[in-house]
């Protein structure tokens, strides 16, 4: 991988903040966009724009073709069997809400149970709590050890005859833990229970093959994998999606409407009410093409090298505490130094041009498990370099000395 060549594709990486070269280490929150993604969006607005699916005219058909070919790009990227299994959403959060709402309505009654894990993002906790308030379902939580690895024995013990679904992240946005999701899916299936994967933090960093995993549902966001904001995906096995009721009502998701009775459109449109972000999906497909061009395995290897290097170097700093030391880890390092508040560390690093995230990272129950309020988080992308890690380590050391 020629990192310098890749960096040229991301104009923002050239900018300075406070007169310092930007060191962007907040990729877990969102990634930067390569030129071809932004160009594809601009080009479509300038030369194709028309609403999709509804028009006989040339532009509408061209926009529809682009939109549907983006669906095929996503299908191919995750190795789904059919484009009927690819539903476009606004992002992971909307995808989880869609599934919780539709699955909960059809398949869950008072006293039924969902299994999630202690490290989930709020977007995979709160929708279940809303369902619990509506329907009286119970939420069971898989615990973890101090390294940040889920306890699989405990997981197995949580299943009961009331378990209706498991919903767990593949990669933790805080700890970087790569959960053994394939094994966990097999366990759920052995109990006759479907499995939903929050792939928001795995899709950008590793190959995700839905057939190999045998996942029933997976959700992810385009903006975390070098695509635009406002676009995401729900993948669902067709036999499941066929059985789920629609999430939202409106145009596009219907076959026929009368005041007496409405029939719904076929998959995937049944779940796509209203005008989709058809320009966003074009940008998203370009981002996936871009990642394919570089190779997800090359990206994974590069980010692994950065993570190992950063971990070793950061441990040289006195008072350094790293949260998340799982055997299988992706490119995220959460840390605290001595009793320096995460917010102070983040603010001072920012002054050195280093963009990191601070706080609870939308995982307050995980913070409670760790006994802390928040961390500083550096998260890596394909364009980060060892030199940037050196700048980060020097920055942390400098801030530490100030306290
Ligand atoms: N799940 C995980 C693991 C995440 O890291 C995030 C975002 O940080 C989300 C879900 C929510 O994604 P979005 O804000 O794109 O809907």
């Amino acid at each position: 991988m020629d990192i310098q060549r890749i960096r040229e594709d991301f104009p923002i990486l050239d900018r300075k903040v406070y007169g310092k070269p930007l060191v962007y280490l907040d990729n877990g929150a969102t990634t930067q966009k390569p030129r071809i993604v932004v160009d594809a969006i601009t080009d479509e607005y300038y030369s194709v724009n028309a609403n999709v699916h509804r028009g006989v005219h040339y532009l509408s058909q061209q926009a529809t073709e682009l939109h549907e070919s983006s669906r095929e790009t996503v299908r191919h990227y995750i190795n789904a069997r059919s484009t009927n299994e690819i539903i476009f959403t606004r992002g992971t959060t909307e995808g989880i809400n869609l599934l919780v709402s539709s699955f909960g309505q059809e398949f869950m009654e008072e006293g039924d149970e969902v299994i999630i894990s202690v490290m989930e993002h709020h977007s995979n906790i709160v929708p279940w709590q809303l369902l619990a308030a509506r329907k009286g379902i119970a939420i069971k939580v898989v615990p973890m050890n101090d390294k940040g690895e889920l306890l699989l024995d405990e997981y197995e013990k949580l299943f009961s005859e009331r378990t209706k679904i498991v919903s767990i992240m593949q990669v933790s946005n805080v700890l970087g833990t790569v959960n053994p999701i394939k094994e966990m899916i097999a366990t759920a299936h052995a109990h006759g229970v479907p499995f939903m994967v929050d792939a928001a933090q795995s899709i950008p960093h590793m190959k995700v093959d839905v057939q190999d995993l045998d996942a029933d549902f997976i959700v992810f966001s385009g903006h975390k994998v070098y695509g635009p904001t406002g676009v995401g995906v729900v993948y669902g096995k067709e036999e499941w999606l066929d059985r789920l009721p629609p999430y939202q009502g409106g145009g596009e998701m219907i076959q026929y409407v009368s005041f007496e009775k409405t029939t719904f459109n076929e998959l995937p449109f049944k779940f796509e009410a209203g005008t989709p972000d058809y320009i966003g999906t074009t940008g998203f497909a370009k981002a996936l093409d871009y990642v394919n061009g570089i190779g997800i395995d090359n990206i994974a290897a590069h980010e692994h090298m950065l993570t190992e290097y950063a971990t070793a170097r950061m441990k040289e700093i006195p008072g350094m505490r790293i949260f998340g030391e799982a055997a299988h880890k992706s490119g995220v390092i959460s840390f605290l130094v001595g009793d320096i508040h995460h917010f102070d560390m983040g603010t001072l690093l920012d002054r050195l041009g280093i963009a990191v995230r601070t706080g609870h990272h939308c995982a307050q129950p995980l913070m409670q498990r760790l006994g802390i309020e928040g961390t500083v988080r550096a998260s890596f992308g394909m364009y980060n370099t060892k030199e940037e890690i050196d700048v980060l380590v020097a920055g942390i050391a400098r801030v530490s000395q100030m306290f």
Side-chain angles (χ1 to χ4, degrees), residues 7 16 21 29 47 64 71 128 188 190 240 272 274 300 362 373 376 390:
R7 288 179 71 87
K16 292 199 158 75
S47 59
T64 303
R71 201 187 300 278
W128 295 111
W240 274 115
E272 294 181 352
C362 298
E373 246 182 62
V376 187
D390 292 337

Side-chain angles (χ1 to χ4, degrees), residues 28-29 90-94 96 121 123 169 171-173 198 200-201 221 223-224 377:
R90 283 194 301 121
T92 307
T93 303
E94 187 179 52
I96 297 176
H121 188 279
S123 63
M169 54 180 22
V171 171
S172 162
N173 58 315
D198 173 353
Q201 296 291 345
S221 302
H223 71 97
K224 291 188 196 284
R377 181 187 73 181

Side-chain angles (χ1 to χ4, degrees), residues 73-80 170 178 181 199 202-213 218 291-292 295-300:
T73 302
V74 174
R75 182 207 67 73
H76 185 256
Y77 193 81
I78 61 172
N79 193 29
Q170 188 167 15
V178 180
I181 220 76
S202 51
I203 282 280
H205 306 294
M206 63 188 63
K207 177 80 192 144
V208 176
D209 178 326
V210 295
Q211 292 192 59
D212 177 55
L213 292 176
I218 72 162
V291 169
N292 272 335
I296 192 73
D297 292 338
N298 294 331
I299 293 171

Side-chain angles (χ1 to χ4, degrees), residues 329-350:
K329 209 180 144 166
S330 116
V332 175
I333 302 182
S334 271
F335 66 95
L336 288 172
V337 183
D339 54 9
I340 303 171
H341 196 275
H342 50 87
F343 183 72
D344 292 335
M345 175 64 81
T347 307
L348 291 166
L349 287 176
D350 176 52

